[in-house]
Amino acid sequence: MIVGQPIPFQARTKLRIPLASANVQAGFPSPAEDHMENSLDLNEHLVSNPAATFFVRVQGNSMRDAGIQGGDILVVDRSITPGNGQIVIAMLDGDFTVKRLRKKGKRVFLEAENAEFTPIEISENQELTVWGVVTFVIHPAR
């Protein structure tokens, strides 16, 4: 799975969207409330460090079992130190990719979340740069 070129976050304006005061039931419906109590700005919820945040659009399906599909937009924070098991944006030999970072002793792997793809073990002949940690996935309802 590859990702497009990073797009830096720029808070141009605040966009406050109405927020319903009631929770939405995923099971049986509950009585509806006809009023909006608060509003929210998605920037405040999705971006904790604006100077270190960027967005990328996903191509491919190697991360589908992690809930990441082609066409999704990933929110990525470069200020987070990447840890074992986190989903990261990495540049491997000059190409951007999104994978799960896995460390096993001194060995490092980039793992897909799709059984059709084998893990990539990083050799000393390869150049790996982890650009940041994926903090949110934005995708349309399917």
Side-chain angles (χ1 to χ4, degrees), residues 37 70 120 132 140-141:
E37 195 167 287
I120 302 166

Side-chain angles (χ1 to χ4, degrees), residues 4-9 49-56 74-78 89 96 131-133:
Q5 291 296 316
I7 302 166
F9 171 75
N49 188 344
T53 299
F54 65 95
F55 303 100
V56 293
L74 305 178
V75 180
V76 182
D77 190 332
R78 293 194 73 180
I89 300 299
F96 281 109
W131 272 61
V133 175

Side-chain angles (χ1 to χ4, degrees), residues 98-129:
V98 57
K99 296 285 185 279
R100 190 170 300 278
L101 180 66
R102 192 68 66 195
K103 298 175 184 177
K104 298 176 182 175
K106 294 187 179 203
R107 299 166 64 195
V108 175
F109 297 84
L110 293 176
E111 296 179 346
E113 291 285 337
N114 179 335
E116 297 175 17
F117 295 83
T118 57
I120 302 166
E121 183 172 4
I122 309 304
S123 72
E124 53 187 57
N125 298 332
Q126 292 179 296
E127 185 177 339
L128 173 68
T129 303

Side-chain angles (χ1 to χ4, degrees), residues 20-52:
S21 60
N23 292 323
V24 176
Q25 296 294 323
F28 292 106
S30 66
E33 293 188 28
D34 290 334
H35 64 279
M36 298 292 170
E37 195 167 287
N38 297 314
S39 64
L40 62 83
D41 182 341
L42 291 176
N43 293 327
E44 294 173 6
H45 292 274
L46 300 178
V47 179
S48 61
N49 188 344

